[in-house]
Amino acid sequence: MGPAELSRLGEIDRTERITSIYVQHGVDLEEQPHNFDVPPWLPTGDGFHSIPHQIGFCEEHIARGALLFGAFDGERLVGMGLMTPQVRPGIAQLAHLHVSDRYRGRGVGRRLVEKMAEAAREMGDLEMVVSSSPSANTVRFYMGCGFAPMAEPLAELFEKEPEDVHLSKRLD
């Protein structure tokens, strides 16, 4: 997927029902009840959950060397991932991953993670980190892909997303 296709982000249905979240304490995760419906992307505006903001976020990473990955059902974009290599020596960041609601649980996200990990390895990274939404479904997904909670998150990621769950995965 090329950077010119970022405007297609709005094709992804990010809606989700969240019933629990994790709070991270080092490598330990505490599950807590939570009640939230994630709305669709906002088509306009500059808020965090707007399409223009998300495109800008992706463009910033692409300017730093990130690779963009897409998953399609025919011509429709159903998943998108962004991997930034070498955020620190030997460490890649899974910077962005979204899969449309009705495609979750069907291997789309897992295949995107595998492709990003493969590309990171090819670029010399030995580890991949992700600053994950604390939703239980999202954290469980990453853990199912081989990620584990980090005892000490990367300071620059923790500063931006202190409520997130910070995970890492060896790429060997």
Side-chain angles (χ1 to χ4, degrees):
M1 190 170 167
E5 297 176 275
L6 278 173
S7 62
R8 297 186 67 182
L9 175 70
E11 294 175 33
I12 296 173
D13 174 12
R14 75 180 205 117
T15 59
E16 177 183 5
R17 175 87 181 127
I18 296 174
T19 58
S20 64
I21 62 168
Y22 284 110
V23 176
Q24 186 171 10
H25 309 285
V27 296
D28 296 321
L29 299 177
E30 174 189 349
E31 189 170 0
Q32 297 180 349
H34 195 73
N35 188 15
F36 184 72
D37 288 316
V38 176
W41 295 111
L42 299 171
T44 60
D46 58 3
F48 184 78
H49 299 292
S50 71
I51 293 171
H53 177 84
Q54 292 297 311
I55 289 172
F57 173 87
C58 291
E59 288 172 338
E60 288 175 22
H61 278 268
I62 289 168
R64 295 193 314 260
L67 301 177
L68 186 62
F69 298 81
F72 296 85
D73 183 358
E75 293 296 313
R76 184 170 182 80
L77 179 68
V78 298
M80 188 174 91
L82 185 68
M83 183 278 297
T84 306
Q86 301 288 318
V87 292
R88 286 198 185 168
I91 301 175
Q93 179 189 5
L94 192 163
H96 188 82
L97 179 64
H98 287 281
V99 173
S100 284
D101 181 48
R102 69 179 213 183
Y103 289 86
R104 293 182 196 133
R106 296 170 55 183
V108 173
R110 182 176 298 277
R111 286 191 298 278
L112 284 168
V113 169
E114 289 168 358
K115 291 292 186 187
M116 288 185 278
E118 179 182 317
R121 268 192 304 276
E122 289 173 2
M123 298 175 88
D125 287 311
L126 303 173
E127 181 180 5
M128 183 181 293
V129 298
V130 63
S131 177
S132 169
S133 156
S135 98
N137 290 336
T138 303
V139 173
R140 288 180 192 139
F141 163 76
Y142 284 122
M143 291 176 72
C145 290
F147 287 84
M150 299 174 70
E152 294 182 35
L154 300 185
E156 60 272 27
L157 298 181
F158 183 79
E159 183 179 310
K160 290 179 184 176
E161 301 285 354
E163 303 297 320
D164 278 6
V165 173
H166 299 268
L167 307 152
S168 69
K169 170 183 176 148
R170 297 287 309 159
L171 298 178
D172 36 31

